């Protein structure tokens, strides 16, 4: 049987998919690319014309959205919140919020602190989008009220993976100071999970 292939860059959004695969025990063929692939991995274009990661190839089908790939990986496991569970729609909302609301401003910060040439880096954009992220990250803090350990369904799910990645990315960009105390404690729980630790190690050696 051919394993699903995950194209990944270290600490990019594809980390969500690698983390989810390790949580569920799904075997994958991990292929780590230099970042950004559009500049340093020209052979990747025939696989994914967008030249973005993740790229998930399974049974001839390409998937490119990290939250959707996590849904595919989590299907039929406890990481999935089923339609008949009370938190189903909250769960789905978190999956969409992970990129559209939370990772987007961090991607702008990443561009103007690391990707662009030094003469094109924009401090104002970094500061503005850090504030943008901070405002929207309050939704995480609110969701963790009333002693909640995880975001939905009373257990760890891929909602925690996709949102946890955004919060983790903030720590790598010096934006963790805008996270609330409950959010920081929840992120520490996420990052202490064996699968997260192994994902970060595996991306260095693949």
């Amino acid at each position: 049987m051919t394993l699903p292939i995950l194209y990944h860059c270290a600490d990019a959004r594809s980390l969500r998919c690698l983390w989810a695969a390790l949580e569920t025990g799904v075997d994958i063929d991990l292929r780590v690319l230099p970042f950004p692939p559009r500049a340093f991995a020209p052979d990747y274009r025939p696989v994914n014309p967008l030249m973005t990661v993740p790229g998930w190839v399974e049974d001839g089908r390409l998937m490119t959205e990290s939250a959707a790939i996590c849904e595919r990986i989590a299907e039929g496991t406890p990481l999935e919140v089923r339609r008949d569970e009370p938190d189903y729609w909250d769960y789905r909302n978190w999956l969409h919020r992970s990129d559209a609301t939370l990772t987007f401003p961090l991607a702008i910060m990443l561009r103007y602190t690391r990707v662009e040439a030094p003469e094109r880096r924009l401090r104002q954009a970094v500061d503005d989008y850090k504030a943008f992220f901070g405002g929207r990250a309050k939704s995480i803090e609110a969701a963790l009220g009333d002693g909640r350990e995880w975001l939905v369904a009373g257990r760890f799910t891929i909602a925690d993976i996709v949102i946890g990645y955004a919060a983790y990315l903030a720590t790598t960009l010096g934006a963790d100071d805008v996270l609330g105390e409950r959010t920081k404690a929840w992120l520490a729980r996420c990052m202490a999970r064996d699968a997260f630790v192994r994902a970060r190690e595996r991306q260095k050696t693949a």
Side-chain angles (χ1 to χ4, degrees), residues 38-49:
R38 67 177 182 275
F40 301 113
D43 292 345
Y44 181 49
R45 189 174 299 279
V47 176
N48 177 10

Side-chain angles (χ1 to χ4, degrees), residues 6-171:
L6 173 62
Y7 293 90
H8 168 58
C9 291
D11 283 351
R13 297 179 206 208
S14 45
L15 182 60
R16 290 169 169 148
C17 312
L18 177 55
W19 181 6
L22 291 172
E23 288 279 0
T24 58
V26 171
D27 288 331
I28 60 171
D29 178 356
L30 179 65
R31 303 189 186 181
V32 179
L33 304 176
F35 181 84
R38 67 177 182 275
F40 301 113
D43 292 345
Y44 181 49
R45 189 174 299 279
V47 176
N48 177 10
L50 295 174
M51 295 294 279
T52 57
V53 292
W56 176 273
V57 180
E58 183 177 13
D59 298 329
R61 177 185 295 110
L62 170 68
M63 297 178 68
T64 61
E65 297 302 315
S66 59
I69 295 166
C70 286
E71 284 191 88
R72 152 67 191 95
I73 294 168
E75 189 174 25
T77 78
L79 292 187
E80 176 189 37
V81 177
R82 300 180 308 277
R83 185 176 285 272
D84 60 354
E85 294 185 72
D87 281 355
Y88 174 75
W89 285 111
D90 290 335
Y91 161 77
R92 294 300 303 275
N93 196 55
W94 282 116
L95 298 186
H96 288 276
R97 181 179 292 168
S98 66
D99 264 345
T101 301
L102 290 170
T103 309
F104 166 72
L106 297 171
I108 301 298
M109 291 181 66
L110 180 65
R111 175 176 180 176
Y112 288 111
T113 56
R114 298 181 190 172
V115 178
E116 292 287 354
E119 65 273 12
R120 287 180 50 82
R121 295 178 184 179
L122 299 175
R123 187 71 248 172
Q124 185 67 54
V126 173
D127 292 343
D128 288 350
Y129 279 91
K130 178 179 177 179
F132 183 107
F133 170 76
R136 282 139 185 83
K138 291 178 181 177
S139 62
I140 307 172
E141 188 75 0
L144 293 166
D146 300 323
R148 279 197 178 204
E149 185 176 14
W150 306 111
L151 290 175
V152 291
R155 66 180 186 274
F156 181 84
T157 71
I158 57 166
D160 298 289
I161 289 178
V162 296
I163 300 298
Y165 169 76
Y168 162 72
L169 181 60
T171 71

Side-chain angles (χ1 to χ4, degrees), residues 168-190:
Y168 162 72
L169 181 60
T171 71
T172 72
L173 294 169
D176 47 315
D177 58 323
V178 302
L179 299 176
E181 292 306 311
R182 289 193 296 268
T183 303
K184 290 177 181 177
W186 160 81
L187 178 59
R189 291 193 292 276
C190 288

